[in-house]
Amino acid sequence: MSDTAHPLLPPGTPLLRRATDAVQVGGVDGGDGVLVGPAPGAVTELLRGLDGRRTQGAVLADAAGAGLEPRSVAALLDHLRVTGALVDLDAADLLAADAGPAAAARTAAEVPAARDPDGAVRWHARRRACVVVEGATRVGVPVATLLAASGVGRVSVRDEGVATAGDTVAGGLTAADEGRPRTLAAADAVRRASPLTDLRPLPPGTTPDLVVLARPWGASDPLLAGLHDAGVTHLVAAVRGDTGVVGPWWCPA
């Protein structure tokens, strides 16, 4: 494996002491496990430190500094890869973790689960995705923040109105946003949830991967016909009075 790979041992992987000098990695939930031995304490510390942030070259250098043989460590990492216990991240998968400790913890937990059985990382496609939310409403803004927090790379909220006190909602606009343009207030809400999300409006002629119609009249929004004719996937998500409306969801065949 290349020294530029970023090895990650998911934090939920059990490390079980099987003897005075052996450690079992995984293998407690029906999956394959690896018995490592002899395994001094430095090996366990090394395995626990595989958080995907360091390249394999850096891991091996740190292992040598801890008194371990780099070739043996490299062979161990390769064996863990074969069993599926160890995954390799693209360096870009760590972008979300740069926003702070909470995002780092979420990234460590979610990246392994975001991998397809064939090893492809679904985060790559999600990061390339672009979603437009029509309406900086009490539904639209929280939806936009959740999309951004989930890893969608570009989220653009469109609304020409001005925020009012009635627009405030947990995960969306705040009381301090009253009187501000809704688009700017929504962008700040998304930025609070995911500082690295691209908030820029789409260039003319660009087709988004999804449009969320979040205005109260979403199901009869004049944009619906144009989106349908253009073959753009779209979803209605709105509140009418005290009734939540989700759907229809439309995507091209």
Side-chain angles (χ1 to χ4, degrees):
M1 178 57 63
S2 169
D3 281 352
T4 60
H6 287 250
L8 166 72
L9 186 69
T13 303
L15 299 180
L16 307 176
R17 179 67 64 178
R18 286 304 187 191
T20 57
D21 62 349
V23 172
Q24 177 180 320
V25 183
V28 298
D29 55 358
D32 293 330
V34 176
L35 188 63
V36 182
V43 171
T44 301
E45 184 176 348
L46 171 81
L47 293 172
R48 284 297 183 209
L50 296 176
D51 59 2
R53 292 177 174 275
R54 295 174 296 166
T55 64
Q56 176 149 326
V59 170
L60 297 181
D62 291 343
L68 301 175
E69 170 56 45
R71 289 186 180 180
S72 298
V73 172
L76 170 60
L77 298 182
D78 287 341
H79 193 56
L80 290 172
R81 288 186 179 96
V82 171
T83 64
L86 190 74
V87 295
D88 290 305
L89 304 184
D90 187 297
D93 289 324
L94 300 171
L95 287 176
D98 294 338
R106 186 176 69 242
T107 300
E110 291 180 355
V111 167
R115 299 183 71 90
D116 287 321
D118 62 1
V121 180
R122 292 193 293 271
W123 271 27
H124 294 168
R126 194 183 304 174
R127 188 180 302 108
R128 291 192 296 267
C130 176
V131 177
V132 171
V133 178
E134 293 285 355
T137 62
R138 298 179 77 240
V139 173
V141 179
V143 166
T145 61
L146 288 171
L147 288 168
S150 74
V152 174
R154 192 167 192 167
V155 178
S156 177
V157 182
R158 296 173 177 171
D159 197 310
E160 297 180 356
V162 175
T164 67
D167 293 325
T168 61
V169 64
L173 304 189
T174 68
D177 291 319
E178 185 176 1
R180 299 182 63 204
R182 278 181 170 176
T183 299
L184 296 181
D188 285 344
V190 173
R191 192 175 291 111
R192 287 192 294 271
S194 180
L196 301 176
T197 299
D198 188 346
L199 304 172
R200 296 172 298 169
L202 272 65
T206 302
T207 300
D209 296 287
L210 170 67
V211 174
V212 179
L213 301 167
R215 295 185 175 90
W217 60 87
S220 56
D221 196 305
L223 294 173
L224 275 173
L227 293 172
H228 192 281
D229 292 343
V232 178
T233 301
H234 54 274
L235 169 70
V236 173
V239 172
R240 293 178 181 173
D242 57 358
T243 302
V245 178
V246 179
W249 161 276
W250 185 91
C251 61

